[in-house]
Amino acid sequence: MATGTSKRVSAASARAHTRRNKKTNSNLPSGLLGTAIIVLFVGFLFGAYQGIQPPPPKICGTPSAPLITAPRIKLRDGRNLAYKEHGIPKDSAKNKIIFVHGFDSCRHDAYLAKTLSPDVVEDLGIYIVSFDRPGYGESDPDPNQTGKSLALDIEELADKLGLGPKFYIIGYSLGGQIVWNCLKYIPNRLAGAVLIAPVVNYWWSGLPANLTSEAFNQQKLQDQYTTRVAHYIPWLTYWWNSQRWFPASSLILQSTDLLSVQDKELMPKRADRNNHVAQVRQQGEHESVHRDLNVAFGKWEFSPLDLQNPFPSNEGSVHIWQGDDDLIVPVQVQRYIAQNLPWIQYHELQGAGHLFPHADGMSDSIIKSLLQGK
């Protein structure tokens, strides 16, 4: 007869076994907690990443996007550039000019063309073409935009419109800053150039540190932060100017604090902007005003102070026009640049702000100084 064998378990052994089970089970909640923390952290990072990503642009002519109403040319990379013609027909023009608009503007904001007297246009045979810079108005955005690419866009616009081997370039405000790129990258195509209140980059090499510090600190505090973001961490420009915790760029917010006494007097002359202001940012703020900030205040391949005279035989001229009461562009930096580039013809206007091109007779004076040396 088989005898069954029974195992005796001591009380101490049972207690030890129970403790091991309890220890094993107690790991489960802490494991779940760690997993939850990791999931929350990843979710936070994903949310933060989503928060700094700009929305896709509303490219003109695509479904649910603005319509195309302007004539456009197709550029080398497939992008389209919208333009507007002014003055006499280009085929009969003696002087052909490309106008580069400023920040938060478009092809309709060709102030020089709109305020030029008809007599000057006819007597000097002037044709002017303005265009929407990439991402503005009806021109396709350029996610790879640089100062050099803008200069090449301008050159290609001239070629596609048949302006000939040489043309004049005039830029206002941030458009004036872009003219520096034309002087650098396409000087052989220029017959002359005008920079009207051109925006300065506080990090251009060759500018004295005390001068740039003084000019930089004259900005409103919110603009100091905005320009720093554009220069050091441009991938945060969209977030910085769309978040609601801190004030963003006063230019984007169109603050009247940036207007001088003269600017406020000239504001009624800009009333026609109401007819097209909705078109300016219609493809998205990031593709227009935010990208402008990154290009203007980002890291440049050169400094204007490095440039050589593009007209060593006086076959053309370069002019800077600047108001001494400009609250957007610091006059002291402009003076320094002009003093160190003796081939620049510098015109400083007493009591003038940033909007001085709207003053009566100003466009005629700027054009005559360029085309007639007056």
Side-chain angles (χ1 to χ4, degrees):
M1 185 172 69
T3 307
T5 304
S6 62
K7 291 184 178 179
R8 294 185 178 181
V9 180
S10 67
S13 176
R15 285 195 300 271
H17 180 72
T18 302
R19 282 197 300 270
R20 282 196 298 270
N21 284 342
K22 285 183 179 179
K23 186 174 181 181
T24 301
N25 291 340
S26 66
N27 283 336
L28 189 58
S30 63
L32 286 174
L33 179 61
T35 301
I37 291 174
I38 291 172
V39 169
L40 288 173
F41 181 67
V42 170
F44 170 78
L45 290 179
F46 180 75
Y49 175 78
Q50 292 290 99
I52 65 175
Q53 298 303 304
K58 300 176 181 178
I59 300 176
C60 290
T62 59
S64 302
L67 299 175
I68 299 170
T69 63
R72 308 200 301 177
I73 63 162
K74 188 171 285 293
L75 297 170
R76 61 200 174 279
D77 58 1
R79 287 181 295 114
N80 295 287
L81 207 66
Y83 65 92
K84 182 177 182 178
E85 297 174 297
H86 317 259
I88 68 172
K90 65 174 180 285
D91 293 337
S92 56
K94 292 183 289 186
N95 296 294
K96 298 167 185 176
I97 301 171
I98 295 179
F99 181 84
V100 190
H101 69 74
F103 183 82
D104 202 11
S105 303
C106 68
R107 68 190 183 280
H108 297 299
D109 295 309
Y111 308 123
L112 209 69
K114 293 193 291 187
T115 58
L116 200 57
S117 67
D119 289 344
V120 171
V121 173
E122 291 294 331
D123 292 345
L124 297 180
I126 295 172
Y127 163 87
I128 299 177
V129 60
S130 56
F131 67 100
D132 291 331
R133 291 193 282 106
Y136 280 109
E138 296 180 24
S139 287
D140 295 341
D142 182 2
N144 301 312
Q145 184 181 154
T146 64
K148 184 176 182 178
S149 73
L150 287 166
L152 296 180
D153 284 354
I154 289 170
E155 181 179 36
E156 195 166 358
L157 174 67
D159 290 339
K160 290 290 178 70
L161 294 181
L163 301 190
K166 287 186 179 290
F167 53 88
Y168 293 93
I169 186 82
I170 299 178
Y172 170 61
S173 191
L174 199 141
Q177 188 195 64
I178 292 168
V179 173
W180 289 123
N181 291 282
C182 295
L183 292 167
K184 168 68 174 177
Y185 297 113
I186 57 169
N188 59 309
R189 300 301 307 276
L190 304 181
V194 180
L195 300 84
I196 305 172
V199 169
V200 301
N201 184 312
Y202 302 96
W203 292 271
W204 280 335
S205 63
L207 293 175
N210 62 332
L211 178 67
T212 53
S213 294
E214 176 192 354
F216 185 86
N217 291 327
Q218 286 177 353
Q219 298 181 101
K220 297 178 69 174
L221 187 61
Q222 66 197 81
D223 295 324
Q224 294 179 33
Y225 285 124
T226 298
T227 50
R228 283 194 179 105
V229 168
H231 183 77
Y232 293 110
I233 42 177
W235 48 272
L236 266 185
T237 296
Y238 164 73
W239 176 83
W240 180 262
N241 289 286
S242 57
Q243 50 78 31
R244 296 293 178 264
W245 299 337
F246 312 105
S249 165
S250 57
L251 279 172
I252 292 178
L253 298 175
Q254 301 177 340
S255 171
T256 56
D257 292 341
L258 298 175
L259 300 179
S260 70
V261 173
Q262 188 204 52
D263 290 338
K264 292 175 181 176
E265 294 172 351
L266 293 173
M267 279 298 287
K269 293 180 177 289
R270 290 163 52 92
D272 64 320
R273 288 203 86 220
N274 295 331
N275 299 325
H276 63 263
V277 69
Q279 297 180 33
V280 174
R281 306 183 193 180
Q282 64 182 356
Q283 298 187 86
E285 291 196 357
H286 182 69
E287 299 302 334
S288 50
V289 291
H290 297 167
R291 203 174 294 283
D292 251 7
L293 292 174
N294 287 347
V295 173
F297 299 109
K299 295 176 174 62
W300 280 44
E301 295 179 346
F302 72 98
S303 167
L305 294 168
D306 301 331
L307 296 176
Q308 301 297 315
N309 185 357
F311 308 112
S313 302
N314 295 321
E315 65 273 28
S317 58
V318 180
H319 301 252
I320 292 179
W321 290 77
Q322 176 68 40
D324 71 352
D325 195 27
D326 193 325
L327 303 184
I328 296 175
V329 177
V331 65
Q332 63 268 47
V333 178
Q334 221 73 277
R335 288 172 184 158
Y336 184 87
I337 292 173
Q339 289 166 2
N340 284 271
L341 297 177
W343 43 272
I344 294 281
Q345 297 186 35
Y346 182 61
H347 313 261
E348 186 171 304
L349 306 176
Q350 186 174 6
H354 197 67
L355 302 182
F356 70 84
H358 293 278
D360 293 341
M362 199 68 247
S363 294
D364 290 1
S365 296
I366 292 172
I367 288 292
K368 288 180 179 179
S369 72
L370 174 66
L371 301 182
Q372 297 181 322
K374 294 181 179 180

